[in-house]
Amino acid sequence: MMKRIFILVIMLITLVRGDKKSKHPNVVVLLADDLGIGDLGCYGNSTINTPNIDKLASEGVRLTHHLSAASLCTPSRAALLTGRYPARYGLVGEDGTPPVIVHVSSRASLPLTEITLGRVLEAANYTTAAVGKWHLGMNCALLGRDCNGPKKHGFQHFYGIPSTLIEEFRGNHPFWIMDFNQPLHQAFTGTWLISVLTLFSLGRKMEFQWMAILLFGICLSFVFFISWFVSTHYRFHTRTWWKVSPWMDQFMNGILMYNDEVIEQPLQLDGLMQNLVSFSLKFIADHAHGDRPFFLYHSFGHVHTPMFTHPSMAGKSRHGSYGDNVEEMDAGVGAIMAALTEHNLDENTIVYFLSDHGGHLECVDNEGHRVGGHNGLFKGGKGQGASEGAIRVPGIYRWKGHIPSSVSIHEPTSLLDMLPTILDLAELPQIDDLLPNLPEREIDGVSIASLLMRGEPQTARVFIHHCRQSIHAVRWAKDGHIYKMFIKKLMYPEGSHQCGWGIMNLCSCFGESVTDLTGKPLLFDLSRDPYEDDPISSGTEKYSEVVAYLLDYLDRWQESVHYPPSQFRKKSDTVLALWRQPFCLACTQKIEFQK
Ligand SMILES: *[C@@H]1O[C@H](CO)[C@@H](O)[C@H](O)[C@H]1NC(C)=O
Ligand SMILES: *[C@@H]1O[C@H](CO)[C@@H](O)[C@H](O)[C@H]1NC(C)=O
């Protein structure tokens, strides 16, 4: 009898184990926006309070040399999800184009020929969700229908902001603007008045054919309205032709979507962080115990401008509204991690936390307070191409029982590595097996699974650092050295490592803002000079050897890799197109978890 029970128990255990093994691990990606590497306790900030992210680091691997593939949101996020440099598919700015996707209605978007981790995991039978900021373009058809947003990129559920958060989403902005100091407005009002008066006097002569006059007057006013609207709410006449008025931005780009529907317009910032987290908590609860594993891509709105914090968390940090935002985001990470623990998923969920690029050094809010992140001792920040502060980001992988805890890895790694790494960690088939018949593609990221799990060093590796579409630097990790060679370098004001002040003050990557170092590249060895204070002298053998190798590498790269023109180049695809704008007609749809 005892023996039989014993055998039964053993059989049960194997069954349960076998069952566990057949289910692939869940994947949770927690993406912070504009967060600097110096903004977290676990990366050495002693005055900020980020206990949840610090805990994540202590339970997993903290990458200290983790690189973003771009210094701005759109291209960096594209690289993260596809594992490919965004210049390969034109999702980067060129000289004179916008630097990122600027409107929900822009046609520029992540092409459907690009394969995201969402698509891949969906093909591997995962339930997938994208929550929060998307910013990879929507490319909607007429009336905002049939968009190429997250739903077309493998995310079965989408709850979030199709574009990005911007300062204009805060406060109330007027629609009716008539500024008589503006020559354009003076001209419009003047011409309109004269036209109406002429019409009236003409009417008297024509013995008052009132109907015709009225109709003509209405048509005329309509033409004037359109002219007024375009000249007031668009910025075609400026160098930044893609911009629109604050009202347009808030009303057209500040929208919250649930799958394909707009459910809030304009977006309410109050409680947004909590709302997004609530959706993710519900998603985890709904899919924690199903047959399929899940993939949650939670992209925080924080800590991009505008700064907004729930009253319960406002004023708590020692670093003003920016610090409050960091700490509120940390609380969001904590809530999601607590949900994993509550549903007993810690050992069956790969968690990856990162920021899309460096902190925004120049950023000030409308009141003139500095509201940008802190990149530690690295020089430069958001928008500054190959500068170290622009692309050195926090990166933490945690998978209890599989990835060791409290380990720091100093080897260079990239957010480009996410896709191949997740496939490898989860023991899933390769992309081509999951999605057969795809055209051939190069993946720029590599799997760092064995580095994460067993600390096995990687083979030599080269990273290319773009500033928008232009290559500014290359990095070569080889035999314990990490060389970084600049062929172009941003020019900062004397004695400074930032571009100036002001929310839109991004350095240009082209022309006169850049020193061309072709012929005399600048070389650093970051393994002994992490903050780039002391370039390797050009007379040395080391210099000649490394520079020759990297220049040759770049030559071969440029010969073999074709960069299409920037998708942001076409004005018609980048201006705010009202006919492609997704609208909320009734906004009646309330979702049960919404507070
Ligand atoms: C910590 O982060 C805050 C917010 O970015 C920053 O102001 C502060 O200088 C940082 N402190 C340290 C010690 O790194
Ligand atoms: C997904 O499900 C299908 C049908 O049940 C199955 O044939 C396939 O092997 C599954 N894929 C993976 C990666 O588990």
Side-chain angles (χ1 to χ4, degrees):
M1 185 62 190
M2 277 308 276
K3 207 174 161 191
R4 272 200 187 159
I5 291 180
F6 183 70
I7 290 174
L8 210 78
V9 167
I10 293 281
M11 271 172 67
L12 261 171
I13 289 177
T14 5
L15 238 154
V16 168
R17 280 225 173 128
D19 182 52
K20 250 193 181 163
K21 187 125 185 65
S22 75
K23 193 173 157 186
H24 296 285
N26 307 306
V27 176
V28 173
V29 175
L30 303 169
L31 175 61
D33 198 359
D34 286 13
L35 178 78
I37 194 166
D39 287 332
L40 295 175
C42 53
Y43 280 87
N45 192 318
S46 50
T47 49
I48 201 116
N49 200 14
T50 52
N52 296 296
I53 299 168
D54 300 351
K55 178 159 178 270
L56 201 60
S58 72
E59 293 171 351
V61 165
R62 184 183 66 118
L63 301 168
T64 63
H65 201 123
H66 199 46
L67 299 162
S68 139
S71 63
L72 289 167
C73 301
T74 300
S76 164
R77 284 149 191 265
L80 172 71
L81 287 180
T82 62
R84 283 157 52 82
Y85 289 117
R88 287 184 183 270
Y89 38 91
L91 214 58
V92 285
E94 272 175 15
D95 202 0
T97 72
V100 294
I101 290 173
V102 274
H103 304 301
V104 175
S105 64
S106 299
R107 294 261 302 269
S109 67
L110 185 64
L112 291 179
T113 44
E114 291 302 317
I115 306 301
T116 66
L117 182 61
R119 284 271 298 281
V120 176
L121 291 183
E122 184 183 41
N125 303 329
Y126 277 63
T127 307
T128 56
V131 181
K133 166 167 162 171
W134 176 245
H135 210 188
L136 291 172
M138 297 298 280
N139 191 8
C140 301
L142 199 63
L143 300 177
R145 301 279 111 195
D146 198 29
C147 309
N148 290 349
K151 301 275 287 180
K152 292 253 178 85
H153 282 289
F155 295 98
Q156 295 148 359
H157 306 268
F158 172 51
Y159 180 70
I161 311 143
S163 185
T164 178
L165 289 168
I166 44 171
E167 190 65 20
E168 282 75 8
F169 295 177
R170 212 156 56 119
N172 292 313
H173 306 291
F175 172 75
W176 292 108
I177 301 168
M178 197 41 104
D179 181 1
F180 291 111
N181 293 324
Q182 251 195 54
L184 214 58
H185 283 175
Q186 286 168 2
F188 277 130
T189 336
T191 328
W192 182 78
L193 259 172
I194 292 168
S195 312
V196 169
L197 287 175
T198 318
L199 206 61
F200 190 74
S201 55
L202 254 162
R204 297 184 75 154
K205 287 221 177 87
M206 287 162 63
E207 284 155 9
F208 291 98
Q209 304 232 351
W210 282 119
M211 219 37 200
I213 290 172
L214 193 70
L215 262 173
F216 196 68
I218 288 175
C219 287
L220 202 72
S221 303
F222 184 69
V223 170
F224 276 107
F225 172 77
I226 298 290
S227 319
W228 166 82
F229 182 81
V230 171
S231 69
T232 307
H233 291 294
Y234 283 94
R235 296 279 183 272
F236 291 135
H237 53 290
T238 64
R239 219 169 53 82
T240 45
W241 48 266
W242 55 85
K243 289 207 183 163
V244 292
S245 69
W247 178 86
M248 280 274 267
D249 253 330
Q250 183 173 40
F251 204 74
M252 302 301 166
N253 293 324
I255 56 176
L256 181 68
M257 293 182 84
Y258 177 48
N259 293 328
D260 296 318
E261 302 296 324
V262 178
I263 57 166
E264 222 173 76
Q265 183 176 27
L267 178 73
Q268 296 301 305
L269 293 179
D270 289 336
L272 178 64
M273 212 276 327
Q274 289 72 14
N275 237 336
L276 297 176
V277 168
S278 300
F279 186 92
S280 288
L281 298 186
K282 182 161 189 307
F283 176 79
I284 292 171
D286 287 351
H287 301 283
H289 307 292
D291 301 334
R292 293 159 166 248
F294 63 80
F295 170 35
L296 171 63
Y297 171 63
H298 187 102
S299 162
F300 287 93
H302 282 338
V303 290
H304 200 286
T305 53
M307 297 295 129
F308 57 94
T309 316
H310 194 268
S312 64
M313 294 216 59
K316 290 272 163 71
S317 83
R318 282 157 73 178
H319 299 288
S321 60
Y322 181 81
D324 291 351
N325 269 237
V326 175
E327 295 188 4
E328 187 175 47
M329 181 201 58
D330 178 79
V333 170
I336 291 173
M337 295 312 294
L340 295 180
T341 306
E342 182 195 329
H343 294 290
N344 208 9
L345 299 175
D346 283 336
E347 276 160 34
N348 197 27
T349 306
I350 303 167
V351 180
Y352 174 35
F353 172 87
L354 77 158
S355 176
D356 58 352
H357 48 70
H360 192 179
L361 298 181
E362 291 82 7
C363 199
V364 288
D365 64 12
N366 289 339
E367 286 83 49
H369 300 124
R370 185 165 182 278
V371 286
H374 178 64
N375 301 320
L377 294 173
F378 300 111
K379 296 183 171 67
K382 174 178 178 175
Q384 296 168 27
S387 75
E388 201 63 12
I391 48 176
R392 189 73 82 90
V393 292
I396 301 166
Y397 274 94
R398 180 256 211 192
W399 185 15
K400 276 206 170 162
H402 301 263
I403 289 178
S405 58
S406 288
V407 166
S408 297
I409 289 181
H410 307 299
E411 277 195 42
T413 52
S414 168
L415 54 71
L416 287 163
D417 302 336
M418 174 175 82
L419 193 152
T421 302
I422 297 285
L423 291 192
D424 215 0
L425 286 174
E427 293 181 17
L428 288 163
Q430 290 307 302
I431 303 183
D432 296 317
D433 298 323
L434 287 168
L435 293 161
N437 305 325
L438 288 177
E440 209 171 292
R441 70 196 48 240
E442 296 281 336
I443 301 280
D444 298 305
V446 300
S447 168
I448 56 166
S450 51
L451 176 67
L452 292 174
M453 293 201 289
R454 296 179 292 278
E456 282 171 20
Q458 308 176 89
T459 47
R461 203 176 163 185
V462 176
F463 303 82
I464 296 185
H465 302 306
H466 300 82
C467 195
R468 312 227 182 140
Q469 205 189 42
S470 164
I471 295 178
H472 275 202
V474 266
R475 180 180 317 240
W476 187 22
K478 185 194 173 247
D479 303 336
H481 292 280
I482 303 161
Y483 299 109
K484 185 173 170 194
M485 178 184 86
F486 284 92
I487 51 170
K488 289 190 181 140
K489 211 160 187 314
L490 296 176
M491 277 191 290
Y492 299 118
E494 193 65 35
S496 145
H497 293 288
Q498 64 181 73
C499 300
W501 284 107
I503 190 164
M504 281 320 293
N505 211 323
L506 297 171
C507 299
S508 169
C509 302
F510 309 93
E512 289 179 355
S513 321
V514 170
T515 316
D516 195 341
L517 298 166
T518 328
K520 203 172 180 292
L522 202 56
L523 184 69
F524 295 96
D525 183 355
L526 303 187
S527 59
R528 55 168 191 79
D529 175 26
Y531 306 118
E532 303 169 324
D533 293 314
D534 180 23
I536 300 178
S537 160
S538 60
T540 58
E541 205 176 300
K542 185 103 267 174
Y543 179 93
S544 318
E545 183 196 324
V546 173
V547 166
Y549 176 82
L550 287 177
L551 286 178
D552 182 54
Y553 184 94
L554 271 182
D555 276 347
R556 279 181 285 132
W557 177 269
Q558 271 152 344
E559 259 167 42
S560 59
V561 183
H562 168 69
Y563 288 175
S566 164
Q567 287 196 48
F568 312 146
R569 184 196 265 189
K570 277 203 204 139
K571 289 192 179 163
S572 58
D573 288 354
T574 296
V575 294
L576 196 155
L578 288 169
W579 57 93
R580 280 198 300 264
Q581 173 71 38
F583 272 107
C584 153
L585 291 178
C587 270
T588 46
Q589 194 179 354
K590 269 276 167 209
I591 310 188
E592 58 189 281
F593 60 84
Q594 276 191 311
K595 293 178 186 141

